[in-house]
Amino acid sequence: MFRKLYKNSRTITIYFEGSSIQVEPGQTVAAALLSKGHLCFRNSPISGQPRAPYCMMGVCYECMLEIDGNSSQQACMIQVSEGMDIKIQI
Amino acid sequence: MNPSEYDLSIIGSGPAGIAAAITARKYGLRVLVLDEQSKAGGQIFRNIEGMEKNFNSELRKLGNEYQSGLSLVKEFKNCGADYFNDRSVWQIDADLGIHHVSASSNKVSSSINSYAKTKHLLIAVGAMERPMPFKGWTLPGVMACTAVDALYKSSGLVPDEEVILAGCGPLLLLVACRLLDAGVKITALLDTNRRLALLKALPYLPKALRSIGYLTKGMAMLHKIRSAGIQIYSGINGMEALGNSKFEKVRFKLGEHTLEKSSGMLLLHNGVVPNLQITRLLGCEHRWYDLQRYWEPVHDEWGNTSIDRISIAGDCGRISGASISEFNGYVSALDTVYKIGAISRNERNRLSLPYRKELSKHKAVRQLTMALINKPNYSLLQSSLKIDDLIDPRMNTVSSILKHVHKGTIETAYSILNGEYEVIEAEIIDTSELINKELKNANLPDEIRIGAILRGKDIIIPRSNFVFQKDDTVVFLAKSDQIQIVENMFRISAI
C-alpha cells in the first residue's frame, strides 16, 4: 500500500481493533494505519461498501473511526498518541 | 465563562493567515489564530517544521518555495499571536463570538470547548480539491492526489504499488514527477479534459507551479514523464473504478474505444477550488467566477467580504497560490490595523503599498515560456507571432531549454502528432483584428481551437462570449496548413 521513505527510530503503541501496533509518533491516525497496510476504515452504513481515507485534509469524512471512545472522529485530522484505542465503527 | 477578547481572529494558519497574524502583531493588535491542523503552515507548507527537524534531505527535494515557508512559519510562531492548533471552529455568532473545539479526540482536550470574542475576523482557510465523483470513486485505493502529497509531507509515505493518475490540470504533472522522484511506478496518466488539454496546460506550468517548487520546470516535467515511459491518454471520459473490496482497475473511454488499465491505486486531481464552508455559513455574498469555474466570496482589494468586520485572504477568496496569499494576508491585516485605529488611512495605504505593488506586479508578470519548433518553415512565424526564440527539440537538452525559460522572453509553440498540429502561444498586440471581438464572432477556422487565454495572472478557458483584449496571450491548437490563417488573425503590421 504505502512505504516509508525515512524512518523515525521512536515508536509508540496504539490499538486498532484490539490489537496493538507500533507506529511512529507525530503523524495522524489515518497515516499511521495506512503505513501499516490498513486501508478499509469503515463501511458505508447504507450500501455496506468499504471506504478508505480519500482527501487526508479533513474535507471528505471518509476516514471516520471511533477513537478513544469518541465516535465519528476524522482519522486524518487526529494525531496518534500512546495507548490510543481505535475501532472501526459499525 | 470569561471570554478572551481579540482585535483580530484568524481562521487558518497557511501563508495568508500567518502573514496577517505577523502584521497585526507588529502594530500591537491582540491576535488569535485557530487552525485545524496540528502544525502551522497550511497545506502548502504542511509539516514544514517537522521536515526541517527530521527529514532535511526530503525538505530540499520539495524546492525553494517550500523551504521559504520555514522562515515565515518561524516568524509566526514568535510573533506573539495566540495560536491554537487542532481547533475546529463550529460556530461564529453574529457579534463575532467564535466557538471552537479540539479537532483531536485526545482525552485531555476533548472536553475543552472554547469561546473567544473578536472585533475583526479574517478567514484564511485555503482551498480544497475539486471533487469529481464517478462510479467507483469511493473504492479504497482511489485517493486524491493532494492526499498523497499530504502523506508524503507529513509522514514520508509514498505508494509502494503502481499507480494511475487521472484528472486534469498541471498539478497532475507535478504529482507525477514527485512520485517518480520518490521511486513510485506510474502505470498511466489519464487526462479527462479535452483531447490534448495536458499539452495545452503546459505553457502555464511555470506560472501555475511557481508556488509549489517545480519552478519553471514545465518542460522538464513533461520530459521526465515521457522518458519514464508513462502512457498518457488525453481526452478520456466515462471513467469507472472497478474492484471488489479495493481498487483493481480503471475503465475509460477514449474516442470510441473502451480501455481498461490495472493498477494498485488510482489517484485523482481536478484542480482546487476555494473552501467556502465558513463564508457560506456566515452568509457572505458569493459570486460565480466563470474563468476558473467556481464560486468565490465577493471581496474588495483589502479582502473585505459583504459582511462588516469579516475579511478573507488567500485561496479561500480566489485560487492564486502561496505567495499571492501571503501578500493578501499582509494587506488585509493592515486594513484591520487601520480599522482598529492603530494607524491612519494614509499609513495603511503607504504601508500596504509594497505588497499591493507586488500583487499588481504579479498580475503583470509575463508568462515565461519557450518555443519548441521542429519544422524549419515555422521559423517564419517567429517575427509575426512575436516569438522571441526558437528551440529545436532535437538539438537541445532540458537544461538549455530551461536557460531560455529563465530569460522569460519566449512565446510558445509545440509540435504534436508528428507535426500535423501545432500548439502555439501568441500575444495579442494592438494591431490584431481580434481585439474587442467576441470568440464566436472571431471567424476562427474549424481547424483552429483556442485552448486558453492568459490575461494577467488569470487563465481563462474562453466561452463563446469571451472578448479578446490587447495583451491577452492566446494558446491555440492549429493544423499546420492553417498557420497562415493564424498569422493573419494575429496580424501584426509591419514592425
Side-chain angles (χ1 to χ4, degrees):
Chain A
M1 179 93 278
F2 287 93
R3 69 185 164 83
K4 198 99 178 137
L5 285 177
Y6 35 80
K7 289 257 187 312
N8 184 334
S9 51
R10 203 163 80 82
T11 61
I12 58 171
T13 305
I14 61 170
Y15 298 87
F16 181 58
E17 291 288 282
S19 317
S20 71
I21 28 177
Q22 299 296 310
V23 300
E24 292 178 8
Q27 58 180 336
T28 64
V29 173
L33 292 179
L34 287 173
S35 74
K36 295 292 169 184
H38 298 288
L39 182 59
C40 178
F41 277 43
R42 66 189 191 96
N43 289 84
S44 159
I46 296 166
S47 63
Q49 288 169 342
R51 297 292 170 89
Y54 177 79
C55 77
M56 292 303 294
M57 56 184 277
V59 179
C60 77
Y61 290 81
E62 286 283 56
C63 64
M64 290 195 299
L65 291 168
E66 182 189 307
I67 300 177
D68 287 341
N70 296 324
S71 58
S72 298
Q73 300 297 300
Q74 288 177 280
C76 74
M77 299 302 290
I78 295 168
Q79 300 282 306
V80 285
S81 60
E82 182 68 48
M84 195 175 243
D85 186 21
I86 302 155
K87 291 192 173 75
I88 289 177
Q89 299 185 168
I90 298 150
Chain B
M1 188 160 55
N2 198 2
S4 321
E5 282 249 9
Y6 292 94
D7 296 312
L8 174 63
S9 293
I10 299 166
I11 304 174
S13 65
I18 284 178
I22 292 168
T23 307
R25 282 298 304 147
K26 258 184 206 157
Y27 297 95
L29 269 57
R30 291 161 299 171
V31 177
L32 170 69
V33 179
L34 301 169
D35 192 282
E36 217 172 18
Q37 275 197 63
S38 60
K39 296 188 182 85
Q43 297 299 335
I44 181 79
F45 302 135
R46 183 184 258 267
N47 194 32
I48 194 158
E49 288 187 303
M51 278 274 195
E52 186 204 22
K53 218 169 101 191
N54 301 318
F55 323 116
N56 233 316
S57 60
E58 291 299 319
L59 183 64
R60 277 197 300 278
K61 272 194 212 161
L62 286 166
N64 291 335
E65 197 77 21
Y66 183 76
Q67 292 172 55
S68 76
L70 197 58
S71 55
L72 194 67
V73 170
K74 283 184 171 162
E75 192 181 352
F76 164 66
K77 294 296 255 319
N78 293 320
C79 79
D82 286 349
Y83 160 62
F84 296 99
N85 58 354
D86 285 325
R87 303 304 293 183
S88 291
V89 174
W90 62 273
Q91 163 77 3
I92 296 166
D93 301 332
D95 64 352
L96 296 193
I98 303 169
H99 301 260
H100 52 102
V101 66
S102 169
S104 156
S105 78
N106 184 296
K107 280 169 189 144
V108 183
S109 58
S110 64
S111 60
I112 302 175
N113 185 13
S114 307
Y115 173 75
K117 274 215 72 171
T118 191
K119 288 180 184 155
H120 291 265
L121 176 65
L122 177 68
I123 296 158
V125 293
M128 55 179 264
E129 191 128 4
R130 188 193 291 271
M132 183 186 69
F134 59 93
K135 199 171 174 193
W137 80 314
T138 56
L139 269 176
V142 180
M143 266 187 138
C145 278
T146 44
V148 174
D149 196 50
L151 281 168
Y152 168 58
K153 284 180 186 167
S154 55
S155 309
L157 290 174
V158 293
D160 69 352
E161 39 196 343
E162 284 196 24
V163 302
I164 292 175
L165 302 188
C168 59
L171 200 60
L172 203 58
L173 296 183
L174 174 77
V175 174
C177 288
R178 276 207 186 145
L179 291 175
L180 286 174
D181 276 344
V184 176
K185 276 206 76 178
I186 300 173
T187 316
L189 218 151
L190 312 182
D191 180 9
T192 60
N193 216 325
R194 284 165 301 178
R195 207 172 242 288
L196 304 170
L198 264 181
L199 277 170
K200 282 178 189 160
L202 276 178
Y204 315 132
L205 282 174
K207 176 175 258 178
L209 299 177
R210 186 175 302 145
S211 60
I212 312 179
Y214 274 74
L215 296 164
T216 65
K217 279 190 187 169
M219 278 316 291
M221 293 205 309
L222 187 71
H223 179 80
K224 190 173 184 130
I225 290 165
R226 288 254 166 84
S227 41
I230 298 166
Q231 290 167 284
I232 300 179
Y233 298 91
S234 271
I236 67 126
N237 58 47
M239 189 160 61
E240 195 180 334
L242 305 164
N244 280 322
S245 58
K246 183 185 177 301
F247 170 77
E248 287 162 23
K249 60 185 175 183
V250 59
R251 181 182 292 158
F252 57 94
K253 289 205 176 73
L254 184 68
E256 287 161 10
H257 306 280
T258 299
L259 302 176
E260 285 185 358
K261 290 274 157 197
S262 300
S263 193
M265 290 183 81
L266 177 63
L267 306 180
L268 306 172
H269 178 72
N270 283 281
V272 291
V273 295
N275 190 337
L276 301 177
Q277 283 168 330
I278 294 181
T279 48
R280 284 284 190 200
L281 287 167
L282 285 167
C284 294
E285 197 184 320
H286 287 70
R287 66 184 163 213
W288 176 250
Y289 183 38
D290 197 45
L291 307 181
Q292 292 182 14
R293 304 285 176 95
Y294 53 65
W295 290 90
E296 63 179 19
V298 174
H299 58 281
D300 65 13
E301 71 162 317
W302 306 97
N304 294 303
T305 67
S306 61
I307 299 177
D308 194 30
R309 301 190 295 145
I310 298 180
S311 313
I312 50 160
D315 278 357
C316 65
R318 178 172 286 189
I319 305 296
S320 35
S323 51
I324 288 293
S325 296
E326 186 185 330
F327 294 138
N328 283 159
Y330 294 130
V331 168
S332 172
L334 283 166
D335 188 49
T336 304
V337 172
Y338 151 66
K339 283 174 179 157
I340 293 285
I343 55 173
S344 72
R345 191 187 179 88
N346 281 344
E347 281 172 307
R348 175 199 71 173
N349 294 348
R350 184 178 56 79
L351 292 164
S352 63
L353 193 62
Y355 305 124
R356 287 186 291 133
K357 262 190 183 162
E358 280 297 322
L359 288 172
S360 61
K361 196 165 83 187
H362 192 92
K363 280 184 193 156
V365 165
R366 193 164 164 214
Q367 186 67 14
L368 307 180
T369 48
M370 72 194 84
L372 256 180
I373 292 188
N374 62 5
K375 286 197 175 175
N377 53 324
Y378 294 152
S379 61
L380 297 172
L381 286 171
Q382 186 174 6
S383 62
S384 57
L385 282 175
K386 282 183 64 179
I387 292 171
D388 298 296
D389 210 345
L390 299 174
I391 303 162
D392 184 334
R394 290 162 301 191
M395 295 170 65
N396 273 275
T397 62
V398 170
S399 65
S400 69
I401 292 173
L402 285 176
K403 194 179 73 201
H404 286 286
V405 173
H406 286 299
K407 274 162 49 184
T409 53
I410 312 159
E411 301 294 339
T412 305
Y414 295 104
S415 172
I416 50 180
L417 297 180
N418 295 324
E420 201 183 337
Y421 281 83
E422 301 283 324
V423 178
I424 296 173
E425 181 173 319
E427 198 175 332
I428 299 185
I429 64 158
D430 48 14
T431 51
S432 168
E433 64 180 59
L434 290 173
I435 292 174
N436 293 332
K437 266 209 183 142
E438 286 195 338
L439 178 56
K440 64 183 172 214
N441 298 325
N443 293 325
L444 291 174
D446 279 345
E447 298 287 358
I448 290 175
R449 289 276 179 280
I450 303 249
I453 318 284
L454 277 168
R455 180 175 291 165
K457 72 176 174 66
D458 291 326
I459 296 169
I460 303 168
I461 308 297
R463 293 175 139 187
S464 61
N465 60 353
F466 174 82
V467 179
F468 292 99
Q469 286 177 13
K470 181 177 168 298
D471 294 332
D472 282 351
T473 300
V474 183
V475 179
F476 55 88
L477 176 74
K479 209 169 178 186
S480 313
D481 55 13
Q482 308 278 315
I483 298 290
Q484 188 63 41
I485 300 169
V486 175
E487 198 175 3
N488 288 337
M489 272 166 40
F490 290 83
R491 188 188 332 132
I492 288 128
S493 57
I495 300 168

